[in-house]
Amino acid sequence: MEEIKEVDISINNRVFTINLAIKDEELIETIFGALKQYVEKGFSIRVREAYVTSLSDSLKIITKIISSGSQMDEWRAETKQLISIILKRY
């Protein structure tokens, strides 16, 4: 039997937030794939990304608009690299 995945969902009057373990690459890739399909249908998404890469680092916040499959692929690659850095440091 497959390991049970942890998915935390927060809902309030403005946003629906999904939190996943960063080690769960398969589930993260599935979500990226779904977002890419959405973008390729002609919809744009605004991504707000907040991260800390080490204990001595400050919080970084990035906002970008993704409106094409190629931009989605770039963001996916950037995020995978960021996750790799974080996993190595913690």
Side-chain angles (χ1 to χ4, degrees), residues 29-85:
E29 283 297 316
T30 300
I31 291 172
F32 272 119
L35 288 172
K36 183 175 180 178
Q37 286 179 348
Y38 184 78
V39 168
E40 287 179 335
K41 288 181 181 179
F43 300 102
S44 296
I45 59 173
R46 181 185 320 268
V47 175
R48 289 181 196 96
E49 187 173 58
Y51 62 90
V52 176
T53 55
S54 71
L55 293 173
S56 62
D57 203 4
S58 60
L59 178 69
K60 292 182 179 64
I61 300 173
I62 295 172
T63 301
K64 59 176 74 182
I65 295 175
I66 297 175
S67 56
S68 70
S70 62
Q71 288 175 325
M72 191 67 211
D73 290 339
E74 288 175 23
W75 178 50
R76 176 189 260 164
E78 291 168 5
T79 302
K80 285 178 79 170
Q81 183 179 21
L82 180 61
I83 289 171
S84 176
I85 290 167

